[in-house]
């Protein structure tokens, strides 16, 4: 693309070039933006649909929205100054949709903006002349730079390369522009060659690295071999853009440094770490290692011993061979890492004096007026022999009687709490509220098609809400099933297995509860459903 | 042994009507049965029973992502077909079905654990019990293993406001993955889980090598076991590990998840523990006299769950319960013997002695690494200089003084002569 000048925009012939350059930048920026946005949305995984359509059916151009808001210094400043209507107008929309716009921005773009701002803090565009261009290119640069480090994190190689390509082209033009200004290589400048180098490394990753490594190994083995040729002094290395092996080595080394720098940056920023700002190198030395650590302890020395080939090999191998140098040796489980998985645990501080007395639960027992503990009832089991008449002792009636007796006593003891704890909905008495027809229907449905019973409960059992059905199921139906199993199939007791077929013993509860024990005690009814009888 | 512990017990009557659906193993009705049995034994007169407040979504969002909580609020059986994507993303639908009053159920059990933690923080009780809680599989952004909201994490976060270190012990037969993952990178919570591991048993994590990472390295302990472990081996292992952990870590509070599916004859579990063996763990942890939060968890054979948790409530109240179950509405469930304790199981024990000892050795080895690097001061700093008092007049003059003692000798201030020239009359 045509080279563009840095500061001379007043003269005519340059205007077209400028427009062309702007368009191209814009397209590239749009592409990057879309990729970044997709990435963020995927990360958040909230299923927000794209494209965004407003209530009146109009589409929202997220890219334009993002750029406009960023030009006005971000979401917070726009909201604070009430400028959403202005933004809406700029987008060509009705100003009444400004609250919707705000919502859309906060849901889709806020996070992207925050992340871009974080990264852009390191790259400050100071040249006021290129403010207009700068806002685009600067944004581009920020986006690209940030995207680069961000996407590496995501281990998406294809995307990496595409972005790197985009980055590289943009940065090269930017780089050329900056060189004309003869800036020193601080600030923006330094990041450029490094980024472009890194992208070069990325690009050429699959192609030149093995040869370079071979060359490096040969250098390390015999440094004085005349075939290597003269490698210029280290202070000249940055200016070269040739394809010599040593250039590639330097670029690889710089790429490593960049990654390490990014990793450090990431650590201080990452919300996972909460408020900790511990540099990752802190983890290297002090912990005894069971497996290998994240970063080899030799790595920090790479920058110091620039002429030492070996360390660079180690660094390069790790960087290029593994793509993402983060594999510890011991078996790594699939623990989710990051803010989507871990709880946020703050540093320990002395507790404050707030008392949350209202969220401590409401006392139900013992009731507030009565604080004395009643000791005699505690821990009593079933009596060995009951006081019933020997005729009916230990029979079904006897048990039923004692159950009712205990229930009465509990009712007396608890008072109102008896109802709070829903004891009135427990026990076989629940069936007293059901007619025989309803009970039969329930049983038939359970045998044939239990799922549809629960789905269509409201329709099938008018006048009974779901709660009552559940209570009936657990308190009467399952008890009956257990009763059958206890008697007929004692070795095969499982009240939880819904698929079990079952029969019934004796009539349903209602009738016998009402008759007095003097009359016919047991009415034998032929058990027509009995499957097997095991003795 | 201090005087009687004050126990707070949390229960809400509405859990009894929660129904996961036909053929689903998790049945909250077991909580109803447990409560009923506890009352039948009259244990309610020895403790304070509270109804928990229903946890607010904002409290749940202390750990979970707000979108997930919001979705749980909105979803119900009628409209679940409209959100297939979200259902898949949050892992709802099969193991974690959407049923009527799902969110209310989550509010009840989460509120119980949070309230329990708060009562412990405010020192209003020594032990707090919430049998409805203990759903340890729930993750930050999705449901898992019949668990929707991880009340244990919420409770621990609450406890962390008042204690620098919290210990989490999990004796459910499944690995406590939700809690471990939430606190995998921090050393303020140490998670210890005893569970079955291998044969693709749910959830598939929990190998002994998983020990945490970064600052949380060595602060997660996993005890993977095989089928059929019995009382004696389990208790021996438990006592060894937990006593070492408490000694080294010195937690300010302990959270104990008592999943009852590690009992014998559980529908989904595969251990051989009897109720005595299970309750022995509770007894052991109570002995440390550290503020304790006890929750329920798994348990898919209703009557055994009720028995187990009733016995454990009795233990926490220092009450020995008789074995005959008093007559109550659910007595039929306890046939044929109507007894409280159940014997251990008889499936083959695949845990050989060598396997158990190798696990133990690895874990104790890992524990040694944290003796020297606590992130928060554990002991009082001893005074800088400590020189024992040495009075040379009290020494036995007939015995030659060895070099070390001589080095320690400091001349007294009122000594007039230097060195050995002190020939005063005395």
């Amino acid at each position: 693309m045509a080279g563009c000048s840095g500061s001379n925009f007043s003269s005519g012939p340059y205007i077209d070039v400028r427009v062309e350059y702007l368009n191209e930048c814009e397209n590239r920026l749009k592409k990057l933006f879309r990729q970044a946005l997709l990435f963020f949305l995927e990360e958040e995984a909230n299923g927000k649909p794209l494209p965004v359509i407003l209530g009146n059916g109009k589409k929202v151009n997220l890219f334009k929205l993002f750029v406009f808001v960023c030009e006005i210094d971000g979401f917070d400043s726009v909201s604070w100054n009430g400028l959403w209507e202005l933004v809406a107008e700029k987008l060509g929309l009705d100003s009444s949709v400004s609250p919707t716009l705000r919502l859309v921005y906060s849901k889709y773009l806020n996070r992207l903006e925050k992340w871009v701002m974080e990264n852009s803090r390191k790259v400050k565009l100071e040249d006021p002349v290129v403010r207009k261009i700068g806002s685009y290119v600067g944004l581009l640069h920020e986006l690209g730079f940030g995207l680069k480090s961000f996407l590496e994190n995501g281990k998406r190689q294809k995307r990496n390369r595409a972005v790197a390509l985009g980055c590289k082209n943009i940065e090269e033009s930017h780089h050329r522009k900056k060189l004309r200004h003869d800036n020193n290589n601080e600030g923006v400048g330094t990041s450029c060659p490094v980024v472009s180098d890194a992208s070069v490394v990325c690009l050429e990753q699959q192609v030149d690295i093995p040869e370079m490594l071979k060359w490096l190994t040969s250098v390390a083995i015999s440094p004085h071999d005349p075939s290597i040729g003269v490698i210029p002094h280290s202070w000249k290395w940055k200016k070269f853009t040739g394809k010599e092996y040593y250039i590639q080595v330097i670029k690889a080394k710089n790429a490593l440094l960049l990654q390490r720098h990014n990793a450090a940056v990431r650590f201080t920023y990452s919300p996972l770490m909460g408020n900790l700002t511990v540099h990752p190198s802190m983890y290297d030395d002090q912990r005894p290692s069971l497996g290998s650590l994240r970063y080899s302890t030799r790595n920090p020395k790479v920058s110091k011993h620039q002429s030492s080939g070996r360390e660079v090999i180690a660094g390069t191998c790790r960087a290029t061979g593994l793509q993402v140098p983060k594999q510890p040796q011991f078996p790594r489980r699939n623990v989710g890492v990051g803010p989507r998985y871990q709880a946020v645990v703050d540093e320990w501080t002395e507790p404050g004096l707030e008392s949350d007395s209202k969220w401590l639960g409401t006392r139900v027992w013992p009731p507030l007026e009565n604080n004395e503990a009643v000791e005699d009832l505690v821990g009593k089991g079933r009596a060995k022999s009951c006081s019933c008449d020997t005729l009916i002792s230990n029979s079904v009636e006897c048990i039923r009687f004692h159950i009712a007796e205990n229930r009465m006593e509990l009712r007396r003891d608890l008072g109102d709490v008896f109802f709070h704890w829903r004891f009135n909905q427990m026990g076989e008495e629940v069936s007293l509220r059901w007619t025989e027809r309803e009970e039969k229907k329930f049983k038939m449905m359970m045998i044939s098609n239990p799922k549809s019973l629960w789905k269509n409960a409201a329709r099938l059992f008018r006048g009974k809400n779901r709660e009552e059905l559940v209570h009936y199921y657990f308190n009467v139906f399952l008890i009956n099933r257990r009763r059958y199993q206890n008697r007929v199939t004692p070795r095969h007791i499982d009240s939880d297995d819904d698929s079990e077929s079952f029969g019934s013993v004796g009539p349903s509860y209602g009738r016998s509860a009402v008759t007095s024990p003097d009359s016919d005690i047991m009415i034998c009814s032929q058990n027509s459903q009995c499957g097997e009888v095991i003795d | 042994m201090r005087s009687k512990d004050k126990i707070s017990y949390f229960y809400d009557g509405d859990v009894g009507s929660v129904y996961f659906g036909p053929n689903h193993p998790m049945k909250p009705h077991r909580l109803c049965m447990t409560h009923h049995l506890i009352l039948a034994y009259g244990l309610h007169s020895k403790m304070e029973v509270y109804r928990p407040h229903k946890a607010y979504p904002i409290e749940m969002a202390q750990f979970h992502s707000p979108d997930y909580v919001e979705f749980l609020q909105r979803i119900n059986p009628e409209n679940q077909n409209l959100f297939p994507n979200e259902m898949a993303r949050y892992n709802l639908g099969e193991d974690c079905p959407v049923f009527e009053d799902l969110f209310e159920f989550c509010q009840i059990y989460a509120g119980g654990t949070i309230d329990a933690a708060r009562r412990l923080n405010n020192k209003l009780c020594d032990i707090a019990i919430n049998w409805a809680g203990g759903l340890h599989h729930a993750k930050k952004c999705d449901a898992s293993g019949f668990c929707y909201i991880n009340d244990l994490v919420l409770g621990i976060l609450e406890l962390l406001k008042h204690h620098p270190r919290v210990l989490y012990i999990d004796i459910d037969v499944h690995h406590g993955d939700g809690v471990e993952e939430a606190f995998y990178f921090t050393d303020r919570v140490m998670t210890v889980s005893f569970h079955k591991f291998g044969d693709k048993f749910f959830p598939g994590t929990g190998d002994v090598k998983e020990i945490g990472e970064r600052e949380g390295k060595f602060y997660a302990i996993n005890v993977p076991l095989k089928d059929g472990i019995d009382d004696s081996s389990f208790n021996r292992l438990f006592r060894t590990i937990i006593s070492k952990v408490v000694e080294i870590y010195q937690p300010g509070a302990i959270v104990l998840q008592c999943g009852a599916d590690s009992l014998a004859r559980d529908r989904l579990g595969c251990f051989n523990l009897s109720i005595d063996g299970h309750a022995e763990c509770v007894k052991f942890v109570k002995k440390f006299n550290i503020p304790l939060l006890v929750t329920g968890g798994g348990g898919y054979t209703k009557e055994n769950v009720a028995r187990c948790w009733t016995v454990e409530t009795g233990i926490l109240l220092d009450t020995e319960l008789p074995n005959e179950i008093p007559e109550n509405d659910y007595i039929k469930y306890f046939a044929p013997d109507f007894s409280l304790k159940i014997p251990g199981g008889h499936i083959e024990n695949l845990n050989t002695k060598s396997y158990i000892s190798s696990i133990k050795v690895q874990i104790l080895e890992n524990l040694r690494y944290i003796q020297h690097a606590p992130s928060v001061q554990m002991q009082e700093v001893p005074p800088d200089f400590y020189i024992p008092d040495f009075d040379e007049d009290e020494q036995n003059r007939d015995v030659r003084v060895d070099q070390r003692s001589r080095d320690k000798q400091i001349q007294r201030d009122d000594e007039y002569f230097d060195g050995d020239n002190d020939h005063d009359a005395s």
Side-chain angles (χ1 to χ4, degrees):
Chain A
M1 72 177 238
C4 48
S5 70
S7 49
N8 311 335
F9 290 118
S10 45
S11 33
Y14 285 106
I15 291 180
D16 301 328
V17 169
R18 186 178 89 183
V19 167
E20 223 185 86
Y21 172 61
L22 266 182
N23 283 340
E24 237 179 286
C25 279
E26 190 170 328
N27 288 335
R28 291 238 168 76
L29 187 54
K30 272 192 191 160
K31 226 193 321 179
L32 288 176
F33 171 80
R34 199 174 166 80
Q35 283 171 338
L37 183 64
L38 281 175
F39 199 110
F40 265 107
L41 288 183
E42 260 179 66
E43 243 233 357
E44 280 186 56
N46 282 327
K48 300 186 175 112
L50 285 170
V52 181
I53 299 183
L54 289 176
N56 54 8
K58 282 206 171 147
K59 268 169 61 161
V60 175
N61 190 333
L62 286 174
F63 177 70
K64 278 204 183 128
L65 178 62
F66 184 66
V67 169
F68 288 141
V69 174
C70 280
E71 276 182 338
I72 318 177
D73 287 331
F75 179 74
D76 296 318
S77 126
V78 172
S79 305
W80 193 252
N81 297 324
L83 295 172
W84 282 108
E85 289 177 11
L86 184 67
V87 175
E89 269 171 59
K90 267 194 176 173
L91 280 174
L93 296 166
D94 206 11
S95 61
S96 60
V97 303
S98 48
T100 327
L101 266 186
R102 185 182 173 190
L103 188 68
V104 163
Y105 192 89
S106 73
K107 278 197 166 172
Y108 286 76
L109 301 170
N110 205 2
R111 218 183 131 198
L112 180 61
E113 178 208 306
K114 280 201 169 57
W115 167 80
V116 167
M117 291 308 177
E118 269 296 317
N119 282 294
S120 71
R121 258 188 249 149
K122 285 126 211 133
V123 179
K124 276 256 170 345
L125 270 182
E126 274 137 12
D127 202 336
V129 180
V130 291
R131 204 68 180 140
K132 173 64 182 161
I133 306 251
S135 69
Y136 255 112
V137 176
L139 203 53
L140 240 179
H141 184 81
E142 293 156 14
L143 197 54
F145 183 81
L147 263 176
K148 186 85 196 39
S149 52
F150 186 85
L151 288 173
E152 262 165 42
N153 202 1
K155 299 186 212 169
R156 306 280 166 93
Q157 295 316 306
K158 284 194 197 144
R159 209 176 262 189
N160 217 353
R161 249 198 283 171
V163 171
L165 260 172
C167 263
K168 183 195 169 204
N169 290 342
I170 292 159
E171 296 336 314
E172 266 180 22
S173 60
H174 195 72
H175 177 64
R176 253 177 267 145
K177 184 166 58 128
K178 280 294 168 185
L179 274 182
R180 256 183 231 212
H181 279 271
D182 261 340
N183 277 340
N184 53 356
N185 281 339
E186 249 54 53
V188 178
T190 354
S191 54
C192 283
V194 183
V195 172
S196 62
D197 288 344
S199 59
V200 164
V201 171
C202 279
L203 271 179
E204 296 167 341
Q205 237 160 11
Q206 262 69 39
V207 181
D208 275 332
I209 295 295
E211 276 94 345
M212 177 189 82
L213 284 178
K214 258 190 240 161
W215 176 83
L216 203 51
T217 335
S218 63
V219 167
I221 292 171
S222 50
H224 296 295
D225 196 332
S227 65
I228 294 173
V230 178
I231 298 179
H233 202 269
S234 52
W235 57 266
K236 284 194 191 146
W237 284 354
K238 276 210 171 127
K239 294 256 170 70
F240 283 83
T241 48
K243 283 224 170 177
E244 303 291 330
Y245 282 130
Y246 63 84
I247 304 295
Q248 291 183 18
V249 166
I250 283 65
K251 285 179 182 170
K253 181 175 65 77
N254 286 335
L256 279 180
L257 277 183
L258 173 67
Q259 282 175 13
R260 185 140 168 88
H261 176 63
N262 281 345
V265 165
R266 266 204 300 281
F267 269 110
T268 52
Y269 170 62
S270 156
L272 162 68
M273 287 289 144
N275 294 325
L276 299 176
T277 49
V278 180
H279 195 274
S281 63
M282 279 287 288
Y283 300 123
D284 290 348
D285 301 328
Q286 284 152 16
R287 301 284 178 144
S289 58
L290 274 189
S292 79
L293 303 166
R294 271 183 148 212
Y295 291 101
S296 136
T297 44
R298 290 193 296 169
N299 212 13
K301 295 188 189 128
V302 170
S303 54
K304 290 178 198 157
H305 303 280
Q306 287 180 359
S307 50
S308 160
R310 289 236 171 81
E311 261 110 3
V312 182
I313 294 177
T316 342
C317 283
R318 289 194 45 240
T320 56
L322 291 178
Q323 302 296 336
V324 177
K326 272 190 229 171
Q327 305 284 341
Q329 235 67 304
F330 62 87
R332 191 189 173 137
R333 74 177 251 177
N334 297 329
V335 180
V337 173
R340 279 197 66 208
Y341 299 95
Q342 267 71 45
V344 176
V345 178
D346 299 323
E347 283 282 300
W348 164 241
T349 52
E350 280 300 312
L353 292 166
E354 354 73 71
S355 87
D356 327 79
S357 53
K358 47 187 168 132
W359 305 131
L360 295 171
T362 18
R363 180 153 138 168
V364 175
W365 186 263
L368 289 159
E369 318 85 52
N370 169 25
N371 271 326
E372 307 108 44
V374 178
E375 288 287 335
D376 54 334
L377 269 180
V378 177
K380 255 213 221 150
R382 198 169 65 243
K384 282 269 169 359
S385 57
C386 61
S387 52
C388 292
D389 207 352
T390 43
L391 246 181
I392 56 171
S393 177
N394 288 333
S395 70
V396 177
E397 309 304 343
C398 170
I399 307 265
R400 279 211 178 121
F401 174 69
H402 288 299
I403 292 177
E405 192 184 31
N406 287 346
R407 208 178 143 85
M408 277 295 122
E409 221 170 298
L410 193 65
R411 163 91 176 79
R412 235 181 322 127
D413 191 18
L414 293 179
D416 275 338
V417 179
F418 188 80
F419 297 98
H420 290 152
W421 284 342
R422 311 271 186 263
F423 276 103
N424 54 326
Q425 292 167 347
M426 286 191 214
E428 289 188 279
E429 281 97 23
V430 171
S431 67
L432 286 175
R433 274 179 241 134
W434 286 56
T435 65
E436 225 177 287
R437 214 169 132 242
E438 280 172 336
E439 290 194 80
K440 266 212 184 89
K441 191 158 57 164
F442 192 91
K443 195 154 137 188
M444 301 302 351
M445 295 279 335
M446 278 304 290
I447 299 173
S448 56
N449 191 353
K451 272 210 173 101
S452 92
L453 181 146
W454 293 106
K455 257 190 180 165
N456 304 320
R459 195 170 39 88
L460 291 168
F461 296 94
R462 287 192 196 283
K464 294 225 168 349
N465 63 14
R466 194 190 160 82
E467 217 178 283
E468 284 182 11
L469 275 165
V470 173
H471 283 296
Y472 178 81
Y473 174 67
F474 281 113
N475 288 290
V476 181
F477 187 76
L478 281 188
I479 297 266
N480 283 342
R481 186 192 278 170
R482 270 308 291 257
R483 208 194 313 170
Y484 174 79
Q485 286 175 348
N486 292 345
R487 305 250 182 92
V488 179
T489 59
R491 273 181 227 143
H492 188 65
I493 295 179
D494 188 358
S495 63
D496 289 313
D497 200 346
D498 287 337
S499 56
E500 277 273 309
S501 65
F502 60 93
S504 69
V505 177
S508 62
Y509 182 79
R511 276 216 303 142
S512 51
V514 172
T515 55
S516 61
D518 286 335
S519 55
D520 306 305
I521 294 167
M522 260 314 193
I523 298 173
C524 293
S525 55
Q526 187 180 21
N527 197 336
S528 50
Q529 290 148 310
C530 174
E532 349 98 54
V533 177
I534 300 172
D535 43 20
Chain B
M1 186 64 172
R2 49 162 198 221
S3 63
K4 279 219 174 137
D5 291 329
K6 213 158 154 213
I7 317 278
S8 296
Y9 172 95
F10 288 84
Y11 179 73
D12 187 321
D14 290 330
V15 287
S17 44
V18 177
Y19 185 55
F20 270 57
N23 289 329
H24 196 283
M26 169 68 91
K27 297 183 158 83
H29 185 73
R30 63 200 180 137
L31 302 167
C32 214
M33 285 169 64
T34 307
H35 189 67
H36 203 96
L37 199 53
I38 287 176
L39 259 63
Y41 272 107
L43 291 174
H44 57 290
S45 34
K46 291 188 90 176
M47 59 190 183
E48 291 171 351
V49 182
Y50 291 87
R51 190 183 73 242
H53 80 285
K54 291 197 171 139
Y56 291 97
I58 189 90
E59 289 177 293
M60 296 183 192
Q62 293 242 3
F63 168 57
H64 292 281
S65 76
D67 309 301
Y68 175 52
V69 177
E70 195 205 347
F71 186 71
L72 279 183
Q73 253 182 307
R74 279 189 291 141
I75 198 73
N76 60 52
E78 278 87 48
N79 67 12
Q80 60 176 317
N81 299 322
L82 303 173
F83 301 100
N85 290 336
E86 281 88 345
M87 293 276 289
R89 187 188 330 128
Y90 296 127
N91 196 24
L92 293 167
E94 288 174 15
D95 263 1
C96 307
V98 175
F99 51 87
E100 201 76 34
D101 297 327
L102 163 63
F103 194 67
E104 201 183 310
F105 175 57
C106 295
Q107 284 182 299
I108 290 175
Y109 73 75
T113 310
I114 294 177
D115 280 352
R118 288 206 185 113
R119 285 202 86 85
L120 286 174
N121 279 344
N122 292 337
K123 299 200 186 10
L124 296 168
C125 60
D126 307 301
I127 300 178
I129 305 177
N130 178 29
W131 292 125
L135 276 64
H136 57 175
H137 291 304
K139 307 281 189 329
K140 185 168 182 172
C141 302
D142 44 61
S144 165
F146 320 149
C147 307
Y148 303 83
I149 295 283
N150 199 321
D151 60 302
L152 291 160
V153 172
L154 296 171
I156 291 177
L157 286 174
E158 196 62 43
L159 286 172
L160 283 174
K161 293 179 188 166
H162 277 73
H163 302 278
R165 293 174 303 279
V166 173
L167 172 64
Y168 169 72
I169 307 176
D170 183 320
I171 52 178
D172 191 294
V173 78
H174 301 97
H175 176 224
D177 56 347
V179 184
E180 187 184 277
E181 184 175 286
F183 298 115
Y184 206 55
F185 292 87
T186 177
D187 58 355
R188 287 191 66 195
V189 179
M190 171 169 269
T191 57
V192 185
S193 174
F194 296 77
H195 49 270
K196 146 101 183 160
F197 180 76
D199 302 327
K200 297 208 172 80
F201 195 72
F202 186 85
T205 49
D207 193 12
V208 69
K209 298 190 188 60
E210 293 167 23
I211 52 174
E213 278 169 38
R214 299 197 205 140
E215 291 103 350
K217 195 164 182 188
F218 307 115
Y219 289 92
I221 295 180
N222 283 302
V223 187
L225 298 166
K226 303 208 169 117
D227 280 8
I229 190 157
D230 58 0
D231 285 345
S232 49
S233 339
F234 188 84
N235 285 131
R236 224 175 313 128
L237 198 56
F238 186 83
R239 276 196 283 263
T240 319
I241 294 177
I242 297 294
S243 51
K244 196 81 188 151
V245 167
V246 174
E247 178 195 322
I248 291 178
Y249 190 61
Q250 294 181 28
I254 300 183
V255 176
L256 176 62
Q257 196 262 27
C258 301
D261 46 7
S262 41
L263 289 172
R265 287 177 287 275
D266 183 85
R267 231 179 128 186
L268 301 184
C270 49
F271 284 172
N272 275 333
L273 296 184
S274 72
I275 286 193
D276 279 324
H278 200 268
E280 191 57 42
C281 302
V282 177
K283 216 188 271 188
F284 186 71
V285 174
K286 178 176 146 86
K287 281 213 194 83
F288 291 109
N289 284 334
I290 295 177
L292 177 63
L293 205 173
V294 178
T295 61
Y300 306 102
T301 306
K302 293 196 293 292
E303 49 271 21
N304 290 347
V305 173
R307 284 170 162 128
C308 178
W309 291 347
T310 306
V311 167
E312 287 170 0
T313 311
I315 283 179
L316 292 168
L317 289 167
D318 294 318
T319 312
E320 189 66 38
L321 294 174
N323 211 12
E324 293 79 35
I325 293 181
E327 277 94 356
N328 66 80
D329 286 314
Y330 297 118
I331 193 157
K332 295 233 170 38
Y333 279 113
F334 302 106
D337 47 345
F338 305 103
S339 63
L340 190 57
K341 305 267 173 78
I342 58 163
H346 299 295
I347 60 178
E348 193 196 343
N349 186 357
L350 300 175
N351 297 282
T352 58
K353 275 207 160 82
S354 58
Y355 175 73
I356 292 183
S357 71
S358 79
I359 298 280
K360 185 160 55 174
V361 158
Q362 285 185 66
I363 290 173
L364 293 177
E365 180 69 30
N366 287 338
L367 273 176
R368 288 202 293 136
Y369 287 113
I370 65 172
Q371 260 173 314
H372 308 293
S375 69
V376 179
Q377 200 78 36
M378 283 191 198
Q379 290 108 17
E380 275 181 37
V381 183
D384 282 34
F385 297 102
Y386 176 60
I387 301 169
D389 284 331
F390 183 85
D391 193 350
E392 58 180 34
D393 288 342
E394 280 167 8
Q395 266 190 316
N396 187 352
R397 290 176 196 276
D398 292 336
V399 175
R400 188 191 289 266
V401 181
D402 64 343
Q403 183 64 40
R404 281 202 86 189
S405 315
R406 249 187 297 148
D407 286 343
K408 276 199 219 160
Q409 277 178 15
I410 300 169
Q411 215 172 40
R412 283 164 56 153
D413 281 348
D414 49 356
E415 189 68 47
Y416 189 63
F417 294 103
D418 261 353
D420 278 347
N421 289 333
D422 48 342
H423 300 299
D424 30 344
S426 59

